[in-house]
Amino acid sequence: MNAKPNLLSGMQPSASSLHLGNYLGALVNWVNMQENFNAYYVIVDLHAITVPQDPAELRTNTRRTAAQYIAAGIDPAKSALFVQSHVPAHAELAWILNCITGFGEASRMTQFKDKSQKAGSDSASVGLFTYPILQAADILLYQPKAVPVGEDQRQHLELTRDLAERFNSRFGKTFTIPEAHIMKETAKIYDLQNPTAKMSKSAADPKGLVNIMDDDTTISKKIKSAVTDTEGSIKLDWENKPGVSNLLSIHSSLSGESIVSLEERFEGAGYGVLKGEVADVVISAIGPIRDRANELMSDQAELDRLLARGAEKAKVVANQTLAAVYDRVGFIKPE
Ligand code: ATP
Ligand code: LTN
């Protein structure tokens, strides 16, 4: 009945707010893609606990993440938005995939190397080591054609494809081989205080990132104190004027006005004028999303119902794939 191809992507509930980079670099694409795909969007709480999490914070951040996605346009009637731990098939398939992954193969994942180095090898968990294998399970359960992710996830997607091909050749065709849909660089947003580094929730200075959940005054203050340069001209020049270029790029991504048109309009104007207008543009784009997310957070029962419905939709497909996998590896069915 539904001829649209499947799509899956995931995000960790690891912060209390998404930032402008997550919004422009990922979420906007997810919202657009739900028109042409049967989309599954999963909030990966099992992945979040690969590093220590405070239980109360994890609970709040899981709901806040869901609320922001819905507020930004993920429509629970069109797409399945759900929490990973609500669909046990994720952990179950991950176990099977663990058993066909080589130790050396898993050891080559650069994200693990980076994160375990930061944590120190004694405090890095085995869960962090097998993180990419759980991610492969997230993906393969839904037989997606496309997986929209950032460049940093390319290696995990390659591993996912290798595992799918290995399983298919050992046990018979079970999984669709997914394509990585690497989201384009143009929407890369930089830190306002340190405009050569990408905007990131792990940034040293919170003033450098605009959060979706920030109030208007905070947004305005952060943009008005953005680092620029002393030259005084408003034009796109990433090498010599990263701060000004970042502001132009944020404006253009949100307002739809071309960079050329912005450069013309701001010719001869001071940075204060540019910052004022960028603040207005950001507030009018982000403000309604924040307000809607807060509204959703104030009715937790309704939010939990939406997530439960998402999980029910997800389980239909996930359980079907898992049943085929269990059968192929030789598990007998319970009576
Ligand atoms: P961390 O600070 O922990 O590295 P992050 O803020 O970079 O986290 P992720 O959770 O790694 O965010 O990424 C979620 C999605 O947002 C990914 O698809 C990623 O490519 C995208 N994204 C993150 N930061 C930016 C940015 N500054 N510009 C554009 N896209 C971004
Ligand atoms: N590792 C991803 C989050 C993630 C994911 C997924 C993305 C977990 N499971 C499945 C795509 C598909 C990240 O850190 N952005």
Side-chain angles (χ1 to χ4, degrees):
M1 208 176 76
N2 194 339
K4 290 180 189 175
N6 287 356
L7 171 146
L8 176 128
S9 200
M11 57 292 190
Q12 294 202 54
S14 49
S16 64
S17 177
L18 298 172
H19 56 69
L20 200 56
N22 302 138
Y23 175 68
L24 285 169
L27 189 45
V28 171
N29 284 302
W30 290 16
V31 171
N32 291 335
M33 290 181 95
Q34 62 182 344
E35 304 305 324
N36 298 323
F37 290 89
N38 218 349
Y40 294 85
Y41 293 127
V42 54
I43 301 169
V44 293
D45 54 351
L46 300 177
H47 277 109
I49 64 159
T50 56
V51 296
Q53 297 288 338
D54 172 77
E57 263 175 40
L58 179 60
R59 237 169 252 130
T60 309
N61 290 347
T62 300
R63 292 196 176 98
R64 279 171 77 98
T65 303
Q68 289 171 78
Y69 276 80
I70 297 171
I74 300 293
D75 180 353
K78 279 186 201 147
S79 306
L81 177 70
F82 65 100
V83 177
Q84 191 183 30
S85 64
H86 292 178
V87 182
H90 290 251
E92 293 169 322
L93 179 60
W95 178 255
I96 311 276
L97 296 178
N98 274 329
C99 298
I100 65 161
T101 308
F103 196 83
E105 192 176 28
S107 309
R108 286 193 288 275
M109 295 295 117
T110 56
Q111 181 179 295
F112 173 73
K113 289 192 217 166
D114 294 348
K115 287 198 182 176
S116 59
Q117 237 158 38
K118 272 189 210 158
S121 68
D122 277 344
S123 45
S125 68
V126 174
L128 188 63
F129 184 66
T130 61
Y131 178 115
I133 302 160
L134 176 60
Q135 181 169 352
D138 296 341
I139 296 169
L140 297 177
L141 280 173
Y142 299 91
Q143 312 283 356
K145 236 181 117 75
V147 183
V149 284
E151 178 60 42
D152 60 327
Q153 298 297 308
R154 193 187 283 279
Q155 200 189 25
H156 291 173
L157 256 295
E158 277 309 312
L159 176 72
T160 304
R161 289 164 57 88
D162 289 348
L163 294 177
E165 276 163 7
R166 187 172 309 154
F167 190 97
N168 285 353
S169 75
R170 270 191 214 170
F171 300 105
K173 183 160 178 357
T174 310
F175 298 123
T176 304
I177 311 298
E179 293 285 336
H181 180 103
I182 307 286
M183 293 188 276
K184 51 181 193 314
E185 279 292 306
T186 49
K188 189 158 178 181
I189 306 301
Y190 292 85
D191 189 293
L192 296 176
Q193 290 300 316
N194 179 16
T196 51
K198 80 167 193 142
M199 191 177 281
S200 159
K201 52 184 175 284
S202 37
D205 184 352
K207 285 208 302 289
L209 63 160
V210 176
N211 287 313
I212 294 204
M213 300 305 276
D214 281 346
D215 59 41
D216 290 355
T217 319
T218 308
I219 296 177
S220 190
K221 261 196 213 141
K222 284 178 176 172
I223 290 174
K224 287 181 181 154
S225 57
V227 167
T228 48
D229 53 67
T230 51
E231 198 197 31
S233 67
I234 298 179
K235 54 180 198 289
L236 195 81
D237 177 351
W238 287 106
E239 202 164 319
N240 301 308
K241 304 171 68 64
V244 170
S245 302
N246 192 35
L247 291 172
L248 285 170
S249 153
I250 291 172
H251 190 313
S252 173
S253 305
L254 290 171
S255 66
E257 185 172 349
S258 72
I259 300 276
V260 177
S261 155
L262 289 170
E263 285 173 338
E264 269 170 27
R265 221 157 41 70
F266 284 108
E267 202 180 335
Y271 292 158
V273 181
L274 172 67
K275 287 177 174 178
E277 196 173 307
V278 172
D280 290 344
V281 168
V282 172
I283 289 167
S284 64
I286 297 293
I289 299 175
R290 172 200 61 217
D291 295 345
R292 178 76 188 116
N294 281 326
E295 239 172 75
L296 287 159
M297 283 300 287
S298 69
D299 187 353
Q300 210 181 90
E302 174 58 13
L303 187 59
D304 288 359
R305 259 194 302 279
L306 289 174
L307 291 172
R309 229 177 292 153
E312 288 315 310
K313 267 200 251 177
K315 276 183 194 167
V316 175
V317 186
N319 290 345
Q320 205 179 338
T321 304
L322 187 71
V325 168
Y326 271 26
D327 184 50
R328 302 235 156 109
V329 300
F331 292 168
I332 61 168
K333 285 199 183 74
E335 272 312 311

